[in-house]
Amino acid sequence: MYTDTERCVRAVQSKDARFDGWFFTAVRTTGIYCRPSCPAVPPKVENMTFLPSAAACQQAGFRACKRCRPDTSPGSPEWNARADAVARAMRLIQDGVVDREGVPGLAVRLGYSTRQVERQLNAELGAGPLALARAQRAQTARLLIETSELPMGDIAFAAGFSSIRTFNETVREVFALAPGELRLRAEKANRHIPRVPGTISLRLPFRAPLNPDNLFGHLAATAVPGVEEWRSGAYRRTLRLPYGTGVVALTPQPDHIGCQLALTDLRDLTIAISRCRWMLDLDADPEAVDEQLRTDPLLVPLVDKAPGRRVPRTVDAAEFAVRAVLGQQVSTAAARTHAARLVASYGEPVADPDPEGGLTHLFPSPQALAALDPQSLALPASRRATLTTLVGALADGSLPLGIDSDWEAARAQLNAMPGFGPWTTEVIAMRALGDPDAFLPSDLGVRRAAKELGLPSTPAALTARAAGWRPWRAYAVQYLWATDAHPVNHLPV
């Protein structure tokens, strides 16, 4: 995108928010970089330089605009729609892998040398993994400065900086303000916003439109008691994070998602935000998705009625895989019951920061579930075998499921496991791995909707018709599911 100068200029001059996160505008005369929708008067064309990432702008010596705050724009939708090494690397960097394991750790996960990873990221993003991680640390520091009352020294280490001096220098360089000045500006702007002790409150941006009905409806209707709940207009759940645990409350608003985080270790802030954005599919490009789906005349009424549907994902791929097996050929209520029993027996207790909340446990880790007695499960013998085989593979690392997974390799491994058919494999690819083209032609709800719309209702014929929906078939599934009156398609009252 950023190499198409004419298109970028048009986006900047029209202040088109759809392109926020796709590219950044660096202004040579002022040394500032902005998002395309910056409300300031657009600079002269000859003074604009377009770069693919905030890290590339910072590395080139530009500082973030104080008006449009480009560092807070939605992430590029490319990283969620692609499965190549660069996209997998970006998802891992956003999940904090470079801060925890360094560039060598990132390279090992990708199966490349550090030199190859550096070369590929620099070629496409204009910055290497260290610069990209530094830009993310700067954004985390800004969030903590503006939304908490922590001392600056605590913020520096929580954001991942190795020293207070590096923290101060980076904040001044990126934002042209000292940390104390950033906090003063935030206090003046947010005097009317009440702060909840012990929590960090922030807004998660997204590209409009966003239809929250199926997104939050699905999460709420399938919520596992003790791990998830819908309370006071917010979806709440517990989080297992690299340094500790957390509880998040996510509230849909017209122009953002309200996010309240309570963390046992503030070093997990960036990872928690990244995983919540991933779960809610907030970096999607709904305009591109809906435009493609509208090429099928039978989908046009569904898209026009409620555009901007997202794919409800998960914060933990292993957790979702277990829940997908528990949900095979049973109702939503039965699947929740099975999962709740596992949570009560093997989940790790956590404290809910809300005295009236009902969150009590983390979902059990694969290592904890590896100790379960199959005979204790109220499941058919074949399902017990499927679950124990899956848990064993997750626990010993032979089945790596995560945001960095190779989608086709993961599918092949899942399909080779006993009890895994196309539906289970594809729903895991869709909601746990984030493949936007995952498709469920054998799903009962999809087949029923297809028949009502006049689409082919047999799996083979529907798959052939759905070729025109690629690469967004997972989103087509959301539109087809939405024709049903099932609770997953509606916000709870």
Side-chain angles (χ1 to χ4, degrees), residues 350-399:
V350 295
D352 192 331
D354 184 344
E356 299 181 359
L359 303 182
T360 58
H361 290 80
L362 297 173
F363 194 87
S365 68
Q367 290 72 26
L369 291 176
L372 64 80
D373 176 9
Q375 301 305 316
S376 66
L377 301 173
L379 297 171
S382 60
R383 193 82 46 77
R384 291 201 297 266
T386 300
L387 182 62
T388 53
T389 303
L390 170 68
V391 166
L394 291 169
D396 66 20
S398 60
L399 176 63

Side-chain angles (χ1 to χ4, degrees), residues 6-339:
E6 185 177 339
R7 192 178 177 196
C8 290
V9 168
R10 288 200 305 270
V12 171
Q13 291 179 337
S14 61
K15 304 184 187 300
D16 196 332
R18 293 177 300 170
F19 294 98
D20 288 356
W22 278 102
F23 70 91
F24 296 84
T25 307
V27 186
R28 287 188 289 265
T29 51
T30 61
I32 293 171
Y33 74 94
C34 303
R35 61 171 80 195
S37 64
C38 182
V41 177
K44 294 180 180 179
V45 174
E46 59 267 26
N47 294 328
M48 297 183 196
T49 297
F50 302 109
L51 295 168
S53 65
C57 294
Q58 294 167 19
Q59 193 163 269
F62 295 92
R63 64 171 178 81
C65 173
K66 296 175 185 176
R67 291 191 65 182
C68 70
R69 297 184 58 170
D71 51 304
T72 63
S73 59
S76 172
E78 283 192 277
W79 316 133
N80 291 345
R82 289 165 42 182
D84 56 42
V86 171
R88 290 166 58 208
M90 285 302 297
R91 293 197 287 269
L92 285 169
I93 292 169
Q94 289 165 358
D95 201 52
V97 165
V98 171
D99 286 335
R100 297 194 304 274
E101 303 172 20
V103 178
L106 174 66
V108 167
R109 286 179 178 245
L110 295 172
Y112 289 92
S113 69
T114 55
R115 184 175 179 181
Q116 287 173 309
V117 172
E118 291 267 5
R119 180 176 55 79
Q120 291 187 53
L121 288 174
N122 271 298
E124 188 155 344
L125 288 152
L130 289 176
L132 291 162
R134 175 181 180 269
Q136 186 162 277
R137 283 195 294 272
Q139 170 59 6
T140 302
R142 182 171 195 160
L143 282 173
L144 287 171
I145 290 168
E146 295 181 341
T147 62
S148 76
E149 297 177 353
L150 289 171
M152 294 300 176
D154 292 350
I155 289 175
F157 294 111
F161 289 97
S162 58
S163 69
I164 296 174
R165 179 180 177 182
T166 305
F167 159 73
N168 286 329
E169 289 175 350
T170 300
V171 170
R172 284 195 183 95
E173 183 180 330
V174 174
F175 304 114
L177 290 169
E181 293 174 308
L182 272 179
R183 176 164 283 175
L184 268 175
R185 285 168 61 97
E187 287 173 350
K188 290 177 182 176
N190 300 326
R191 282 175 180 166
H192 62 288
I193 300 176
R195 284 187 176 178
V196 180
T199 66
I200 296 169
S201 300
L202 55 142
R203 297 182 173 197
L204 304 182
F206 56 76
R207 290 179 185 82
L210 180 144
N211 188 313
D213 294 359
N214 74 300
L215 180 59
F216 284 90
H218 207 120
L219 295 171
T222 60
V224 177
V227 175
E228 306 165 283
E229 68 174 0
W230 180 267
R231 177 179 294 276
S232 304
Y235 166 74
R236 305 179 72 242
R237 73 154 292 151
T238 59
L239 302 170
R240 184 188 304 279
L241 298 162
Y243 297 106
T245 64
V247 171
V248 66
L250 298 161
T251 309
Q253 301 291 351
D255 60 349
H256 68 276
I257 302 296
C259 176
Q260 275 200 346
L261 278 164
L263 304 172
T264 58
D265 193 317
L266 286 174
R267 289 177 295 176
D268 285 322
L269 178 61
T270 300
I271 299 100
I273 293 171
S274 175
R275 292 184 183 178
C276 290
R277 292 190 63 82
W278 171 262
M279 177 175 64
L280 300 180
D281 197 13
L282 297 186
D283 290 328
D285 184 351
E287 294 276 354
V289 172
D290 292 351
E291 181 181 1
Q292 179 66 26
L293 298 184
R294 284 191 179 101
T295 60
D296 189 321
L298 293 182
L299 292 184
V300 170
L302 299 184
V303 177
D304 288 348
K305 180 181 178 182
R309 292 195 183 275
R310 301 301 208 270
V311 177
R313 296 183 185 150
T314 179
V315 293
D316 187 322
E319 171 191 318
F320 184 83
V322 170
R323 292 171 61 174
V325 170
L326 294 176
Q328 288 177 334
Q329 300 177 347
V330 298
S331 67
T332 300
R336 294 179 69 215
T337 299
H338 290 316

